Amino acid sequence: MSALLALLDVHGDGTTWVGPASGPEGKRAFGGQFMGQSLAAAARTVAPQKQPTSMHLQFLRGGEAGDAVDYAVTDVFDGRTAAARRVDATQAGRLLTTATVSFAAPMAGPEHGRRDVMPGDPEALPRTGPAGPAPSMPLDEIDIRLDDDRSTGEFVRRLWWRVTVPVPDDALLHTVIAAYVCDVYMIDPALAVHGHSMVARTHRSGTTDSSIWFHRRVHADRWNLLETRSPAAARGRGVITGSLIGSDGVITATLAQEGLIAEREQPAAD
């Protein structure tokens, strides 16, 4: 099994699940690990015909990348066509994240959400990786290409990605992978608007909460475009909104994230 698929393969007894460590030891765990593993744990307790429709996760404390994570899943609701779960992630008894995940069986209804023209060709871009160091991500298995755009005066981040290892034809697994990948440096555009970056460490930065609404099936082994922008920032926090778009122009998910982008305190003069 690939490193990515092994990382997202949680094991448990029906209410408590364990997510593998991402490594390396001594580093802070990547937030996408909690997104992907929390979603995987919640889905293990729901009938397969009910697919994820939304996920909302709060980051309360940083985690250790070198340690496994325990996930406690609570049944919130089980109906004929819908279900809801709460997922609490802990390490050594310390609560790190808490999430709510909604599931529903598909139903017929009006549909919209498609790009007629995609902005650019990922194959024409260099393989850049994420917008900063990502020591716990198996980047040899995820092709990431950035194409930031300021042509309209607004900063728009276009992050193309696809998984380069074989992925089983399992719609849930592809959705879990998307939840994992789409967290990578997503708060960075709130700093980029002002000419800064998370990698420069000029500001205290990190995700405080993240939300995803899943509309359609994701194909993680094909090109996906995560297009994000920051509509507002104040009081040391910024908000990012985005769309996940498949290579066929169909919008597969809508995302929103809030993060800390506070100025670092300057050391007192002697």
Side-chain angles (χ1 to χ4, degrees), residues 2-4 127 137-143 162-165:
S2 77
L4 174 62
R127 186 166 179 168
M137 291 189 76
L139 293 178
D140 57 332
E141 300 183 2
I142 308 171
D143 189 344
R162 65 178 174 181
V163 173
T164 57
V165 295

Side-chain angles (χ1 to χ4, degrees), residues 4-5 7-10 17 19-20 30-44 52 55 57 59 71 87 89 97 99 101 103 172-183 210 212 214:
L4 174 62
L5 300 188
L7 175 65
L8 299 175
D9 187 23
V10 299
W17 305 81
F30 165 48
Q33 175 184 351
F34 297 104
M35 294 290 292
Q37 291 181 346
S38 292
L39 178 56
R44 295 286 198 278
M55 179 177 185
L57 185 144
F59 294 90
Y71 294 92
V87 186
T97 68
V101 187
F103 300 82
L172 175 62
L173 177 57
H174 286 249
T175 300
V176 169
I177 292 172
Y180 172 82
V181 175
C182 288
D183 188 77
S210 186
I212 306 178
F214 304 104

Side-chain angles (χ1 to χ4, degrees), residues 9-208:
D9 187 23
V10 299
H11 299 276
D13 59 9
T15 57
T16 303
W17 305 81
V18 177
S22 60
E25 294 186 2
K27 295 293 185 178
R28 185 168 179 169
F30 165 48
Q33 175 184 351
F34 297 104
M35 294 290 292
Q37 291 181 346
S38 292
L39 178 56
R44 295 286 198 278
T45 71
V46 176
Q49 66 267 26
K50 298 174 184 175
Q51 291 292 303
T53 57
S54 67
M55 179 177 185
H56 311 279
L57 185 144
Q58 287 185 295
F59 294 90
L60 306 175
R61 296 186 178 95
E64 296 293 330
D67 297 336
V69 182
D70 297 316
Y71 294 92
V73 179
T74 302
D75 292 1
V76 177
F77 175 75
D78 273 300
R80 184 172 59 85
T81 61
R85 298 290 185 266
R86 186 178 75 241
V87 186
D88 294 327
T90 60
Q91 284 180 329
R94 299 174 70 247
L95 181 63
L96 305 180
T97 68
T98 185
T100 56
V101 187
S102 298
F103 300 82
M107 294 184 287
E111 297 185 0
H112 61 273
R114 176 188 291 272
R115 286 280 187 88
D116 293 329
V117 179
M118 292 294 283
D121 176 11
E123 297 288 355
L125 300 171
R127 186 166 179 168
T128 54
S136 65
M137 291 189 76
L139 293 178
D140 57 332
E141 300 183 2
I142 308 171
D143 189 344
I144 295 177
R145 309 187 186 199
L146 291 178
D147 185 23
D148 292 344
D149 182 17
R150 294 181 181 270
S151 61
T152 65
E154 177 189 31
F155 178 83
V156 179
R157 167 147 296 160
R158 296 190 175 102
L159 185 152
W160 293 91
W161 66 270
R162 65 178 174 181
V163 173
T164 57
V165 295
V167 181
D169 186 19
D170 177 344
L172 175 62
L173 177 57
H174 286 249
T175 300
V176 169
I177 292 172
Y180 172 82
V181 175
C182 288
D183 188 77
V184 63
Y185 287 89
M186 188 174 165
I187 198 65
D188 192 60
L191 287 169
V193 169
H194 301 278
H196 302 296
S197 170
M198 289 180 71
V199 68
R201 300 186 64 80
T202 56
H203 292 68
R204 296 168 55 204
S205 57
T207 307
T208 52

